[in-house]
Amino acid sequence: MQKLRMNPYCLACLVSKQLKVPEGADEPARLEYIRSMLRLAADAPDELTAPEVNSMLDKLRADTFGVSEDYTERKSRFNQLMLSLEPELAAAVTAAPDRLRRAVGFAIAANYIDFHAQDNVTDSALRRLLFGDVNVDATAYQYLLSELRRAARLVYITDNCGEIVADKLLLSQIRALLPKLDVTIIVRGGDAAGDATLPDAREVGLDNLAPVISNGVRVAGTPLRLISQEARAALDAADLIISKGQGNFETLCGSGLNIVYLFLCKCEMFASRFNVPRCTGMLLAERLN
């Protein structure tokens, strides 16, 4: 699979999202910030991915205004919302003829919870996607199943808050199918919009299923050149990696690792790349594409 590098669509999107500055900032400070932000975006090396550049822009914003947007309350609300839906989701999985496939569908649909890529995340849209018809590619699903059965070590890379409840459900099905499989879960190393961190994993009980480690970076993805030695060692030792979300796809595709990607196409660039409508579910394998 070809590495996904910075492109005009992502750069324009990143810049537009950074133009909104904290209320109360005076006009000279706003002007200087916008100038600095544009210079930083323009000078970012082409080999960097959108999540890496966005992290640089977020840092500039925080350094300039002395504050970062706090997503703590919003993240917890979606964690609790998904926990309230967990019994209903679990019942649907239990009733399905292929429980693992149904859990994969829920894990893909729950990727909708994204405060960066989505302009307005709503409870009603989330329910509609969860209990709608989620695309699960048959070829990629069979690859996932066969690789799970031959694997001794699985690494599961999470993405967003709330979504990790659906990840927990999928991992529970994997555990039921393969109780001897060694599993490690990776979360973000710091706040990156609504991405899941160690406190989120504990809030939803994800840590009861398998060891949860931080990737060591505050980036909405998993850039291999930046993550912690612990996270990199886990990825290198894995027989199979399940990667959730667009940001992880952007930073990992083309790595050559044995990765299966689960995400929704939530922006025009992804919809165009895969020639599908927005919010289409994707199940892709690094070594099949």
Side-chain angles (χ1 to χ4, degrees):
M1 187 175 289
Q2 187 175 1
K3 181 177 174 61
L4 186 60
R5 299 181 184 274
M6 182 54 69
N7 59 79
Y9 309 102
C10 289
L11 189 60
C13 179
L14 294 178
V15 168
S16 67
K17 288 180 181 296
Q18 292 288 343
L19 289 175
K20 184 181 177 182
V21 299
E23 293 183 9
D26 60 39
E27 189 167 302
R30 290 161 57 94
L31 182 60
E32 182 53 36
Y33 162 71
I34 291 173
R35 285 172 171 163
S36 298
M37 183 267 292
L38 292 173
R39 283 193 296 268
L40 182 59
D43 292 340
D46 289 344
E47 63 267 20
L48 295 186
T49 59
E52 293 171 271
V53 175
N54 189 64
S55 178
M56 295 162 56
L57 297 177
D58 279 344
K59 184 178 185 304
L60 173 65
R61 179 189 178 91
D63 290 346
T64 301
F65 299 108
V67 293
S68 298
E69 189 167 359
D70 187 357
Y71 291 93
T72 305
E73 183 176 341
R74 198 176 180 195
K75 288 171 67 177
S76 185
R77 187 176 84 78
F78 275 92
N79 283 338
Q80 292 303 315
L81 171 62
M82 284 295 291
L83 284 171
S84 73
L85 294 174
E86 187 175 15
E88 190 175 354
L89 298 174
V93 167
T94 300
D98 186 335
R99 294 183 179 185
L100 183 67
R101 188 186 184 104
R102 188 70 166 114
V104 166
F106 282 142
I108 292 172
N111 186 236
Y112 164 77
I113 305 170
D114 187 331
F115 305 150
H116 180 75
Q118 301 281 86
D119 292 330
N120 185 28
V121 179
T122 66
D123 299 8
S124 59
L126 173 61
R127 285 192 64 95
R128 188 164 58 250
L129 283 165
L130 283 171
F131 296 102
D133 185 18
V134 179
N135 177 58
V136 178
D137 180 80
T139 301
Y141 178 69
Q142 288 304 315
Y143 180 86
L144 170 64
L145 197 56
S146 64
E147 290 300 295
L148 280 171
R149 285 172 172 158
R150 76 165 193 85
R153 292 179 297 276
L154 168 70
V155 170
Y156 194 106
I157 308 176
T158 65
D159 191 24
N160 298 299
C161 67
E163 177 183 353
I164 53 177
V165 174
D167 297 333
K168 184 173 70 166
L169 185 60
L170 175 52
L171 281 166
S172 295
Q173 291 304 309
I174 291 173
R175 281 284 196 208
L177 184 67
L178 301 160
K180 294 183 179 180
L181 183 64
D182 183 283
V183 179
T184 299
I185 302 166
I186 295 181
V187 297
R188 301 286 190 257
D191 289 331
D195 290 3
T197 57
L198 287 171
D200 296 299
R202 297 186 188 109
E203 183 176 359
V204 306
L206 195 59
D207 56 331
N208 294 327
L209 285 176
V212 182
I213 64 173
S214 157
N215 72 1
V217 291
R218 186 178 177 177
V219 176
T222 308
L224 296 177
R225 67 184 186 86
L226 298 177
I227 60 174
S228 67
Q229 290 184 348
E230 180 184 29
R232 184 59 196 260
L235 292 174
D236 287 343
D239 300 305
L240 177 65
I241 300 164
I242 295 176
S243 167
K244 293 293 303 296
Q246 290 186 167
N248 283 324
F249 176 80
E250 289 175 274
T251 49
L252 288 169
C253 72
S255 66
L257 295 171
N258 190 20
I259 306 174
V260 174
Y261 301 100
L262 288 72
F263 59 87
L264 286 181
C265 289
K266 291 171 288 191
C267 69
E268 291 302 331
M269 190 279 289
F270 267 78
S272 176
R273 176 187 175 98
F274 296 107
N275 195 28
V276 297
R278 286 185 66 174
C279 283
T280 296
M282 303 299 295
L283 180 66
L284 304 170
E286 176 81 17
R287 294 181 179 176
L288 285 180
N289 295 272

